[in-house]
Amino acid sequence: MSGAETTESPTGRFRTTSAEPGPVLAVLAGVAFWGWLVTRWLNDWVLARIGVGPGAGENFVPRGPFDAAAASVADVSAGLGVVGLPIEWTATLLSTVAIAIDLAPALAGAAWYTIVLTSVSIILGFFIAVPLAVLRVYGGPLKWLALAYTELIRGTPLLAQLFVLYYGLPLAIWLQDAPLVGYGSIPEQAFWIAIIGFTINGSAYQAEYIRGALESVDEGQLTAARAVGLSQYDGIRYVVLPQTLRYAIPAWTNEVVYLIKYSSLAAFITVPELYYVASDIAAQTFEYTAIFGLLAVVYLGIVLTATKLMDRVESRVAVPGIGRAEGRKQGDA
């Protein structure tokens, strides 16, 4: 038996749901990952301040027993030669767990910077990208301004843009003198400059995704909107864009994943995000393999979560016939 079940959907269509263990394991992994992150943030930002729990930045469990177990298993493995290779792997695993215990508080704090940097940049970039895309398609002579902006940003490295914003312009000085910046839980000026840089960079890519989706909408729909009395602006606003933004969601997912990974470039202007913290600790401990392996796990957890969330958004806003790809197929039928 495959374990598959057939159920009736709210639309009356029958669909097959899988009882395979993969989705269940994925949900459990997600719960464990976000349970750790949220618990860590709650402890460091709330409980530690009122004297509850192990304290901000302190380990939930002691590292010592895992180090001792790893050393004991390694001694046993050394006496067995080649035969002891699987035991040596066990020692390596125990040693990695010990490193993970030590690294967990720092990675959780850095993950917050990475998540906020990515989320805020995507949202702010969206409000720049939509007018840019509309100008590219319907802007007449103004489309050249949108094209120049897009090509300038896409044609230059993100790292160079961050360096210009941080070192070449007086933004860092202005932000340093701004009230509250760098005080308490408010990040330093480098973080805000990184948000500006990622917003500008992301808006150019988002604009191209939206432009492609705009051009996929039948021109006749805008003509029909004009025929019923809507202005060109209202036709774009109420007829074309609602379809366009749905079409662009898969490309947006790609942009979100891109920004999550490339947020590591913010480390070069001293933003304490994931890569910055991990590389700093690795440089002190020389445990590069284990630390960057754990770093990859955290990035993967954030990326898979973002991908799943975007998939859920796509499903929620899909309209049969004009929504996601499968919806369009239904419309064709």
Side-chain angles (χ1 to χ4, degrees), residues 62-296:
R63 169 179 176 164
F66 290 93
D67 276 331
S72 300
V73 173
D75 289 342
V76 173
S77 170
L80 296 176
V82 179
V83 180
L85 192 58
I87 300 177
E88 184 180 341
W89 292 342
T90 305
T92 302
L93 178 62
L94 288 169
S95 179
T96 302
V97 171
I99 294 171
I101 290 172
D102 245 5
L103 198 63
L107 283 186
W112 172 254
Y113 281 92
T114 296
I115 293 169
V116 172
L117 177 60
T118 305
S119 305
V120 174
S121 300
I122 280 286
I123 293 170
L124 294 180
F126 168 80
F127 290 104
I128 300 174
V130 171
L132 276 176
V134 172
L135 280 179
R136 283 290 307 275
V137 179
Y138 301 106
L142 292 177
K143 71 180 181 183
W144 298 109
L145 290 176
L147 176 64
Y149 174 90
T150 303
E151 295 306 323
L152 173 65
I153 300 303
R154 290 199 309 162
T156 52
L158 173 57
L159 187 57
Q161 294 165 13
L162 290 175
F163 279 161
V164 168
L165 288 170
Y166 190 67
Y167 296 109
L169 301 176
L171 280 177
I173 298 173
W174 295 342
L175 287 170
Q176 188 176 21
D177 296 335
L180 300 180
V181 172
Y183 291 94
S185 58
I186 308 296
E188 299 280 351
Q189 67 270 23
F191 179 77
W192 302 106
I193 291 175
I195 284 183
I196 295 172
F198 279 89
T199 297
I200 293 172
N201 187 272
S203 67
Y205 288 92
Q206 289 189 67
E208 283 301 282
Y209 300 146
I210 297 171
R211 181 180 67 85
L214 270 174
E215 292 176 342
S216 70
V217 176
D218 192 336
E219 291 182 6
Q221 296 199 27
L222 186 56
T223 304
R226 299 293 301 273
V228 297
L230 293 178
S231 66
Q232 184 181 35
Y233 172 82
D234 287 339
I236 295 170
R237 166 69 179 82
Y238 295 108
V239 178
V240 177
L241 274 180
Q243 300 173 59
T244 296
L245 298 182
R246 289 184 173 95
Y247 293 166
I249 289 176
W252 255 319
T253 303
N254 190 50
E255 176 64 14
V256 172
V257 171
Y258 165 85
L259 276 186
I260 290 171
K261 294 186 298 179
Y262 283 84
S263 63
S264 60
L265 294 179
F268 291 91
I269 58 171
T270 70
V271 176
E273 49 69 63
L274 277 169
Y275 177 80
Y276 179 92
V277 170
S279 60
D280 185 52
I281 296 174
Q284 298 174 35
T285 62
F286 298 102
E287 298 281 0
Y288 284 97
T289 303
I291 290 175
F292 280 98
L294 294 167
L295 176 66

